[in-house]
């Protein structure tokens, strides 16, 4: 089915029906399975009830799914034309959130809209991917070697990352930087240049540490020695590890997790949802969830590889990388492998705006897949 | 094009590298998970085995049930008990043997303890023995070194200071069963009870609260090293009932030995001030366990102490139903208040003769006189003209034969017969059935509570619903204000005529319930309060023609064949505030067995009214104190 069709689709016969057939429904099924895992976990987090988390979770996922399919119908060339507009919009929102945003957990990162709390930084990450992909879409191999050509995209990364740091939201800023770097790599930037930039950042890290807020420093300190303060900041990690460790290979059974159900596990419906699952379903359940997430990530990379235009490839790469970073940071965090960062597990954690943002990203990814064979007008001009 | 191919090649290579890195990273996470859950998991298991971390639930005290004046009618008292924590003793059997030397344990108790040990996690304390005496407790404490794993603590147990007085309203608690424990882990705690009947059951969740939990670091012998964390639970909330405990006591007292039920309601808002059913039972027996002999005694008693007759006893309303028939006739415009019907002592319809209770008849009766004298012929005629469906519809509007909002789990809706109901039974509805229904006899099955509701609605013209919950955690619930209840939508003229006729029943020469006329009430100010009411007597078996001709006397029948005696009434007649309904099972005539009791109940109710009482604080008048 996929790939056999090699004709260039520019004619009017590429209508909605044909586009619907080109959606990878297998991929949609994988996403639904992940949301189903979320339902099970949230059902348990509420003490064995669909309210207040699980039922709403599925409702939002249903809405997200419709949104995703709608976005997948949008022509990727149109999205490409809108890329920089999205970037500017994201920056404006980031500035706005610093001025009027709601303060939560010591940082200014939320905007309220439609009864939900939105983080513009989430939107920004998607817009950043689109903008970078649009820039490199036109880039020939020679131009990639020109340092001046690289100045605008580097600025396109640094401006939003700086604004996100200022909120301050260290975790999202790092993710945005990594996602941006990945698009650079995919566009063909030489490895040594990437290594140079990364090295510069690592050197800058100790300097940056002095400019961090206290709570961020505490997180890093706690990470380095979690048992130093068992009732304070290290508490979450210890409790999470007790929960995981006591889950064992087969787990304690559905709704039987003592750590979660006795409320020792903090934020079990959001950040620590994976712990909850692994406590109740054990190593077997934890590995199954990681396997499912790996399938979704591999699927995203396959979409990138199958795409026949650079823009789509880079967009798919960036979106998949963003999803991967969420997964990696969240799971590594609950196991105490990296500092606690307030990053949810996509499609599993409770949280409306995060779910919608993930599904918007998935919609763009699917649009790449649906429009993988389209021709861009400007291709010949640039190369 | 070549460049494009090169660019594609570079992307493919790099995408594969990045993808590979991603998968490798996820693999690393999986490995880390393996390390935490399996390799280090053994360490956490060891930690748990050596009792380093122990989680305990803390049950909040159960909320109290209060009467409308704040008297505790369902409360908690201290309860010393011995608990066993399995993980703190090497040998459960030996510990129990040692304990049995101090407090004897029967085989069935040991079986229960072992069953519970299997059901719960090892760190959950299991209850070994409740209600320890002070001496036993001291001896256990002294022997503590020989009793590893045994804890003595003080818990609370449910106490009903007024026992049988409010048994059917308050209900009772009992130990939870396994299905309950599956729903709420807190119920696995020793000594926890769940509401099984009455308001204890209705508000069980509120009263129970939510368990807190404490995570303790303990050493190998169970000594607490430090508290790692504590999650406070939610306290059980106090529920305030509408019941007036003193009135309830007085009413139950007045019912004496009769198998009877009385309901007193605030007619303006439906608050049930007293709901009595006689005989009653002691609810605290359910807390500690009911003996077989006691159970048999309750269930074989034909006066049914376990049944709340106020909401589950079903009776025909008899003559207390006549007001509804009259109102249905008025609304259907088949009769007017001034129109007279001649009563010769019977009504012939087809080949059947329907008798009036007064053998030689009442003569010409208008509506007021018919109610006052309780003339049967008048209501036979009105019922015949109105038709059963309209009568049934009117009864439903007065709360008869419909589900009421009363909270009690066992409350029954009762039945007002309709033609459709009879046809659904496969029988035909006869006009004769309608005629009999005109005097409240026949297929009716109504509860005393619904009769009290009917009376309250008659008295106020509002659609009040009877209820028992007045406040939760000190917050007054909806329904306490008369304005919370919508109007019945029945013409005030008709209602007023009924109230006036009911006044005549009690207070006018020749009324059928003059015995119910209220005495002067001590301490009451203003003009004397008068009650309006209506009696009723309901045959429980048909009177044959032969009996009638031989001079039938119901008081000569065996107890269970005598008619039920009923009374409904409200007071003060000109500004209704209280409504009551009373059923005395097999009490014979309403005017003899029910009316005097109702009079005393209403007098007691009025005497407790803060507005009508003399000793009320006078600050309201002018705001100055002398």
């Amino acid at each position: 089915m996929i790939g056999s069709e090699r004709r260039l689709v520019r004619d009017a016969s590429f209508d909605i029906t044909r586009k619907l057939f080109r959606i990878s429904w297998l991929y949609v099924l994988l996403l639904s399975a992940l949301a189903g895992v979320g339902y099970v976990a949230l059902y348990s987090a509420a003490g064995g009830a669909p309210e207040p988390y699980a039922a709403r979770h599925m409702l939002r996922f249903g809405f997200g799914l419709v949104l995703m399919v709608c976005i997948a119908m949008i022509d990727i060339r149109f999205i490409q034309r809108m890329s920089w507009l999205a970037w500017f919009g994201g920056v404006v929102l980031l500035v706005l959130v610093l001025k009027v945003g709601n303060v939560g957990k010591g940082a200014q990162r939320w905007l309220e809209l439609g009864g939900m709390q939105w983080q513009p930084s989430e939107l920004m990450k998607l817009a950043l991917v689109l903008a970078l992909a649009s820039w490199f879409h036109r880039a020939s191999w020679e131009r990639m070697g020109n340092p001046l050509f690289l100045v605008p995209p580097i600025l396109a990364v640094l401006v939003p990352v700086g604004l996100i740091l200022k909120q301050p939201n260290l975790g999202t800023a790092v993710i945005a930087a990594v996602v941006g770097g990945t698009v650079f790599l995919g566009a063909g930037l030489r490895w040594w240049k990437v290594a140079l930039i990364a090295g510069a950042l690592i050197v800058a890290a100790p300097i940056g540490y002095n400019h961090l807020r206290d709570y961020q420093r505490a997180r890093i300190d706690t990470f380095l020695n979690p048992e130093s303060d068992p009732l304070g900041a290290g508490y979450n990690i210890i409790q999470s590890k007790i929960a995981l460790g006591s889950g064992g290979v087969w787990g304690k059974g559905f709704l039987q997790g003592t750590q979660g159900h006795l409320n020792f596990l903090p934020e079990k419906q959001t950040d620590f949802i994976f712990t909850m699952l692994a406590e109740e379903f054990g190593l077997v359940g934890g590995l199954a969830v990681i396997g499912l997430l790996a399938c979704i990530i591999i699927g995203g990379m396959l979409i990138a590889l199958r795409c026949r235009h650079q823009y789509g490839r880079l967009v798919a790469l960036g979106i998949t990388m963003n999803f991967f970073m969420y997964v990696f940071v969240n799971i590594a965090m609950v196991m105490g492998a990296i500092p606690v960062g307030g990053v949810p597990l996509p499609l599993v954690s409770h949280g409306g705006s995060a779910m919608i943002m993930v599904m918007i990203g998935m919609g763009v990814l699917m649009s790449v897949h649906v429009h993988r064979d389209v021709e861009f007008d400007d291709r010949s001009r640039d190369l | 094009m070549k460049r494009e191919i090169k660019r594609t090649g570079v992307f493919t290579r790099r995408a594969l590298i990045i993808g590979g890195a991603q998968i490798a990273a996820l693999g690393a996470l999986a490995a880390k998970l393996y390390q935490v859950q399996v390799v280090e998991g053994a360490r956490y298991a060891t930690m748990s085995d050596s009792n380093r971390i122990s989680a305990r639930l803390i049950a909040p005290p159960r909320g109290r049930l209060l009467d409308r004046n704040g008297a505790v009618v369902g409360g908690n008292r201290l309860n010393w008990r011995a608990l066993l924590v399995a993980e703190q003793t090497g040998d459960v059997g030996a510990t129990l043997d040692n304990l049995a030397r101090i407090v004897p344990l029967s085989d069935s108790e040991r079986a229960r303890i072992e069953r519970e040990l299997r059901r719960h996690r090892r760190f959950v304390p299991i209850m070994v023995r409740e209600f320890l005496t002070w001496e036993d407790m001291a001896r256990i404490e002294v022997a503590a070194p020989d009793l590893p794993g045994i804890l003595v603590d003080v818990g609370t147990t449910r106490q009903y200071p007024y026992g049988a007085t409010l048994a059917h309203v308050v209900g009772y608690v009992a130990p939870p069963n396994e299905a309950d424990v599956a729903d709420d882990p807190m119920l696995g705690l020793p000594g926890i009870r769940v509401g099984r009947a009455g308001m204890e059951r209705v508000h069980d969740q509120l009263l129970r609260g939510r368990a807190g939990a404490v995570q303790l670091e303990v050493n190998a012998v169970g000594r607490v090293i430090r508290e790692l964390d504590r999650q406070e639970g939610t306290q059980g909330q106090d529920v305030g009932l509408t019941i007036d405990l003193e009135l309830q006591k007085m009413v139950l007292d007045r019912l004496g030995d009769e198998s009877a039920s009385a309901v007193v309601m605030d007619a303006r808002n439906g608050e049930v001030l007293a709901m009595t059913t006689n005989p009653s039972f002691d609810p605290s027996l359910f807390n500690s366990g009911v003996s077989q002999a006691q159970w048999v005694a309750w269930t074989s008693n034909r006066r049914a102490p376990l049944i709340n007759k106020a909401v589950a006893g079903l009776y025909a309303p008899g003559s207390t139903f006549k007001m509804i028939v009259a109102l249905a006739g008025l609304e259907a415009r088949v009769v007017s208040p001034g129109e007279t019907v001649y009563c010769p002592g019977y009504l012939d319809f087809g080949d059947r003769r329907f008798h009036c209770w007064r053998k030689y008849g009442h003569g010409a009766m208008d509506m007021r006189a018919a109610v006052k004298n309780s003339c049967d012929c008048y209501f036979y005629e009105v019922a015949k003209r109105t038709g059963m469906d309209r009568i049934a519809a009117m009864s439903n509007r007065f709360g008869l034969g419909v589900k009421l909002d009363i909270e009690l789990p066992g409350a029954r809706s009762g039945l007002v017969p309709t033609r459709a109901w009879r046809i659904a039974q496969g029988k035909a509805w006869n006009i004769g059935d309608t005629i009999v229904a005109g005097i409240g006899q026949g297929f009716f099955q109504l509860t005393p509570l619904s009769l009290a509701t009917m009376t309250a609605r008659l008295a106020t013209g509002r659609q009040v619903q009877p209820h028992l919950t007045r406040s939760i955690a000190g917050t007054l619930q909806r329904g306490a204000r008369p304005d919370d209840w919508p109007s019945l939508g029945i013409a005030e003229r008709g209602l007023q005529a009924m109230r006036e006729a009911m006044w005549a029943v009690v207070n006018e020469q020749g009324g059928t319930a003059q015995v119910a006329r209220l005495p002067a009430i001590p301490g009451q100010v203003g003009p004397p309060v008068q009650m309006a009411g209506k009696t009723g007597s309901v045959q429980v078996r048909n009177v044959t023609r032969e009996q009638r001709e031989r001079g039938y006397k119901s008081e000569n029948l065996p107890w269970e064949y005598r008619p039920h005696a009923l009374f409904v009434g409200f007071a003060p007649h000109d500004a209704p505030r209280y409504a009551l309904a009373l059923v005395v099972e097999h009490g014979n005539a309403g005017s003899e067995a029910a009316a005097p009791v109702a009079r005393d109940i209403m007098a007691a109710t009025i005497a407790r009214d803060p507005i009508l009482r003399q000793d009320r604080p006078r600050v309201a008048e002018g705001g100055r104190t002398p």
Side-chain angles (χ1 to χ4, degrees):
Chain A
M1 177 190 94
I2 297 166
S4 64
E5 201 172 4
R6 279 281 172 246
R7 62 181 272 250
L8 301 176
V9 270
R10 298 191 62 190
D11 55 359
S13 68
F14 192 45
D15 59 4
I16 292 279
T17 323
R18 302 203 37 148
K19 285 185 176 185
L20 280 174
F21 272 106
R22 282 175 75 103
I23 286 185
S24 170
W25 292 103
L26 178 66
Y27 203 65
V28 171
L29 197 69
L30 285 174
L31 295 176
S32 306
L34 188 60
V37 168
Y39 182 88
V40 170
L42 292 171
Y43 186 86
S44 179
E51 294 296 334
Y53 309 129
R56 262 182 259 172
H57 183 74
M58 274 339 248
L59 206 68
R60 286 175 189 146
F61 178 70
F63 174 71
L65 215 53
V66 172
L67 192 63
M68 170 183 165
V69 171
C70 291
I71 293 174
M73 296 297 104
I74 301 174
D75 195 311
I76 193 69
R77 288 163 293 193
F78 177 77
I79 294 178
Q80 190 258 330
R81 284 199 294 277
M82 293 296 123
S83 295
W84 281 99
L85 195 64
W87 186 88
F88 281 111
V91 169
V92 167
L93 284 177
L94 281 177
V95 172
L96 202 65
V97 82
L98 284 175
K99 300 272 180 238
V100 301
N102 294 345
V103 178
K105 292 179 193 163
Q108 231 172 3
R109 50 176 79 152
W110 310 93
L111 278 180
E112 185 151 342
L113 186 73
M116 277 202 263
Q117 299 268 318
W118 298 86
Q119 288 201 51
S121 52
E122 297 299 324
L123 186 68
M124 189 67 236
K125 280 188 291 178
L126 181 60
L128 176 63
V129 167
L130 296 182
L132 291 177
S134 179
W135 181 264
F136 291 123
H137 170 61
R138 300 152 187 273
S140 66
W141 186 242
E142 287 75 16
R143 288 179 75 179
M144 284 301 291
N146 180 357
L148 282 181
F149 179 74
L150 294 179
V151 170
I154 287 176
L155 282 179
V157 177
L158 287 184
V159 169
V161 167
L163 286 170
I164 296 170
L165 272 178
K166 210 168 153 54
Q167 289 181 354
N169 186 348
L170 182 64
T172 307
V174 169
I175 293 179
V178 171
V179 168
T182 309
V183 177
F184 275 79
L185 263 183
L189 188 65
R190 290 196 181 279
W191 287 102
W192 64 266
K193 288 185 183 166
V194 177
L196 195 73
I197 296 170
L201 285 175
I202 289 166
V203 170
I207 305 164
Y209 179 83
N210 290 326
H211 290 280
L212 291 179
R213 302 288 166 104
D214 284 345
Y215 84 99
Q216 290 174 315
R217 276 192 226 166
R219 268 184 194 167
I220 293 171
D221 293 344
T222 305
F223 162 61
L224 296 175
N225 183 11
E227 314 209 346
S228 62
D229 180 14
L231 287 181
Y235 173 85
N236 290 358
I237 292 175
I238 292 178
Q239 291 298 340
S240 178
K241 283 175 104 172
I242 291 174
L244 289 170
S246 58
V249 177
W250 299 105
K252 295 175 183 168
F254 186 47
L255 302 180
Q256 302 295 314
T258 49
Q259 286 283 320
H261 286 240
L262 297 184
N263 282 328
F264 290 120
L265 198 58
E267 313 206 15
K268 57 179 182 284
Q269 77 278 18
T270 54
D271 290 4
F272 286 88
I273 195 83
F274 183 79
T275 309
M276 178 102 201
L277 276 168
E279 187 193 7
E280 299 195 344
F281 298 102
L283 179 68
V284 177
L287 290 182
V289 174
I290 292 178
L292 181 58
L293 291 163
C295 288
I296 290 171
I297 289 163
I298 291 170
M301 295 306 285
L302 288 179
I303 288 174
L305 287 169
R306 277 213 192 103
C307 182
R308 294 186 63 204
H309 43 83
Q310 184 77 345
Y311 178 75
R313 285 194 285 252
L314 294 176
V315 165
L317 177 69
I319 289 173
T320 308
M321 192 64 190
N322 187 28
F323 186 86
F324 165 79
M325 286 304 288
Y326 263 120
V327 169
F328 183 80
V329 171
N330 177 269
I331 298 182
M333 165 186 85
V334 301
M335 292 192 300
I338 59 167
V340 176
V343 175
L345 190 60
L347 301 189
V348 180
S349 290
H350 175 72
S353 62
M355 158 94 77
I356 299 299
M357 287 313 301
V358 168
M359 293 308 282
I360 288 175
M362 288 297 165
V364 176
L365 181 70
M366 203 44 76
S367 170
V368 169
H369 188 62
V370 168
H371 304 90
R372 58 188 176 271
D373 296 326
V374 295
E375 261 185 19
F376 281 78
D377 290 336
D378 50 7
R379 192 197 319 197
S380 53
R381 189 187 64 202
D382 216 62
L383 286 170
Chain B
M1 207 58 213
K2 224 173 177 179
R3 287 164 170 170
E4 173 59 23
I5 290 167
K6 175 168 188 199
R7 198 164 79 156
T8 311
V10 168
F11 179 85
T12 306
R13 217 161 47 234
R14 295 202 166 176
L16 287 174
I17 292 169
I18 293 169
Q22 288 173 341
I23 298 310
L26 288 182
L29 286 184
K32 174 81 178 166
L33 189 65
Y34 176 79
Q35 189 206 348
V36 172
Q37 292 210 278
V38 179
V39 182
E40 286 181 28
R43 195 184 87 184
Y44 288 113
T46 320
M47 276 170 84
S48 170
D49 278 352
S50 62
N51 306 328
R52 281 278 304 284
I53 290 172
S54 163
R56 285 186 198 150
L57 287 165
I58 330 164
R62 193 172 170 87
R64 298 172 304 167
L65 288 164
L66 311 170
D67 94 328
R68 66 185 297 115
N69 300 315
V72 178
V73 295
N76 303 310
R77 73 180 158 87
L78 295 183
N79 170 23
W80 293 97
R81 53 197 190 173
L83 307 174
L84 174 67
V85 183
E87 67 175 9
Q88 291 173 10
T89 170
D91 184 349
V92 172
T95 301
L96 288 179
D97 287 342
N98 289 339
L99 182 69
R101 274 180 227 129
I102 301 167
V103 281
L105 293 172
S106 67
D107 286 345
S108 66
E109 268 184 293
R110 286 194 71 141
R112 174 189 62 80
I113 292 165
E114 267 153 33
R115 201 169 56 241
E116 291 205 10
L117 281 172
R118 281 196 299 278
R119 244 168 65 187
H120 298 292
R121 294 181 170 277
R122 283 172 55 78
F123 60 77
V124 177
I126 303 297
M127 203 184 44
V128 175
R129 178 56 80 76
E130 270 189 299
F131 308 117
L132 287 175
T133 63
W134 182 259
E135 272 175 32
D136 283 343
M137 194 198 62
R139 281 157 68 196
I140 292 173
E141 292 283 19
V142 168
D146 296 333
L147 300 169
I150 294 284
L151 305 171
V152 174
D153 81 344
V154 58
T156 58
T157 186
R158 208 60 169 162
Q159 189 182 29
Y160 302 108
Y162 303 101
T165 308
L166 272 164
H168 286 103
V169 174
V170 168
Y172 51 82
V173 294
N177 57 31
E178 295 198 21
D180 294 326
V181 179
D183 289 346
D184 182 351
M186 176 180 121
L187 298 180
L189 288 175
I192 285 281
R193 298 285 187 267
V194 294
R196 277 276 179 268
M199 298 304 274
E200 289 272 27
R201 176 164 155 198
V202 173
H203 292 299
D204 192 40
Q205 293 291 343
L206 280 173
L207 292 165
R208 195 192 293 167
R210 276 192 44 207
V214 58
Q215 198 183 40
L216 301 169
E217 193 173 326
V218 292
N219 69 9
V221 292
R223 212 182 114 95
V224 175
I225 305 286
R226 58 175 170 168
E227 190 174 300
L228 289 178
D229 190 27
R230 174 181 275 268
Q231 305 285 336
E232 293 299 340
T234 323
Q235 282 244 313
Q237 289 178 322
D238 287 351
V239 173
L241 305 181
T242 58
I243 295 287
D244 180 342
L245 175 66
E246 293 305 317
L247 181 65
Q248 173 88 5
K249 279 190 201 163
M250 185 274 148
V251 172
L252 202 60
D253 231 37
R254 184 64 186 83
L255 294 182
D257 296 331
E258 298 284 2
S259 178
S261 171
V263 175
V264 181
M265 266 169 66
D266 189 324
R268 304 169 313 165
N269 59 13
E271 289 183 350
V272 177
L273 301 172
M275 177 188 281
T276 56
T277 176
N278 206 32
S280 187
F281 65 94
D282 182 358
S284 58
L285 291 177
F286 281 92
N287 194 6
S288 45
V290 176
S291 72
Q292 183 71 21
Q294 179 67 71
W295 183 254
V296 170
W298 278 338
T299 47
S300 63
N301 186 339
R302 58 185 182 169
R303 297 178 183 218
L306 292 182
I307 290 176
N308 184 357
K309 299 188 187 84
V311 297
L314 296 173
Y315 312 92
S319 301
T320 60
F321 189 66
K322 285 176 177 166
M323 285 79 76
I324 303 300
V325 177
L327 286 170
L330 285 175
E331 198 172 81
R333 297 181 184 282
V334 296
V335 65
S336 71
E339 183 183 343
T340 58
V341 170
Y342 185 78
C343 168
Y346 57 85
L347 174 89
D348 282 327
F349 184 80
D351 55 353
R352 274 185 74 186
R353 172 163 285 195
F354 298 89
H355 292 272
C356 185
W357 67 271
R358 194 174 190 202
K359 201 168 179 184
Y360 302 107
H362 291 95
M365 290 271 119
D366 64 3
M367 189 172 278
R368 183 179 188 278
V371 172
K372 178 184 162 189
N373 294 298
S374 200
C375 171
D376 292 341
C377 291
Y378 180 89
F379 289 98
Y380 291 146
E381 177 63 28
V382 173
K384 194 176 69 168
R385 291 187 203 168
T386 310
M388 193 61 218
D389 288 346
R390 285 198 282 219
I391 294 174
M394 183 59 75
S395 337
N396 294 158
R397 284 161 77 184
F398 277 90
L400 302 176
V402 291
K403 191 169 161 29
L404 296 171
D405 285 356
I406 192 76
E407 296 94 328
L408 294 176
R412 303 181 63 170
S413 311
L415 172 76
V416 171
T418 57
R419 289 197 297 190
W421 166 79
R422 190 69 175 151
I423 288 162
Q425 283 195 322
K427 307 262 172 58
W429 182 267
N430 301 314
I431 305 288
D433 296 328
T434 307
I435 292 172
V436 169
I439 61 164
Q441 309 269 10
F443 303 112
F444 291 94
Q445 292 194 310
L446 299 176
T447 61
L449 182 75
S450 67
L451 291 174
T453 307
M454 170 194 87
T455 313
R457 290 183 180 184
L458 257 176
T460 61
R462 285 184 189 276
Q463 228 168 320
V464 292
Q465 284 279 3
H467 57 277
L468 283 164
T469 310
R470 185 154 190 270
S471 65
I472 288 169
T475 314
L476 220 56
Q477 298 297 292
R478 209 187 155 275
R481 293 177 314 126
D483 293 347
D484 290 343
W485 304 103
S487 160
L488 269 182
I490 289 171
E492 187 60 27
R493 241 185 82 217
L495 289 172
Q496 196 51 46
M498 286 306 118
R499 292 174 198 142
E500 215 277 317
M502 286 170 77
W503 173 82
V505 168
V506 177
N507 298 289
E508 216 172 67
Q509 192 63 41
T512 52
Q514 285 182 82
V515 63
R517 189 181 165 86
L518 291 181
I521 290 161
Q524 184 236 310
V525 291
V529 173
Q530 295 186 332
M531 172 160 69
K534 184 76 194 77
T535 58
S537 314
V538 199
Q539 293 161 9
V540 292
R541 47 174 16 207
N542 282 330
V543 180
T544 60
R545 170 168 298 192
E546 188 195 344
Q547 282 173 321
R548 200 180 292 280
E549 283 165 1
R550 283 218 318 258
Y552 161 78
K553 279 268 187 288
S554 58
E555 54 263 44
N556 299 335
L557 291 170
W559 180 77
E560 60 266 40
Y561 296 147
R562 289 183 203 158
H564 297 318
L566 285 79
F567 188 90
V568 299
F570 61 87
H573 77 284
D574 49 356
R577 162 114 210 222
Y578 300 105
L580 78 77
L582 168 68
V583 176
V584 180
E585 285 188 347
H586 311 294
N588 248 340
S591 55
E592 291 157 29
V597 179
R599 170 196 67 209
D600 294 348
I601 292 173
M602 188 56 90
T605 308
I606 299 290
R608 291 188 57 75
D609 186 304
I611 295 168
L612 298 172
R613 219 164 49 198
Q614 202 163 28
D615 59 343
R616 74 185 193 272
R618 292 287 186 101
V619 271
E621 300 174 2
R624 269 181 313 165
T625 43

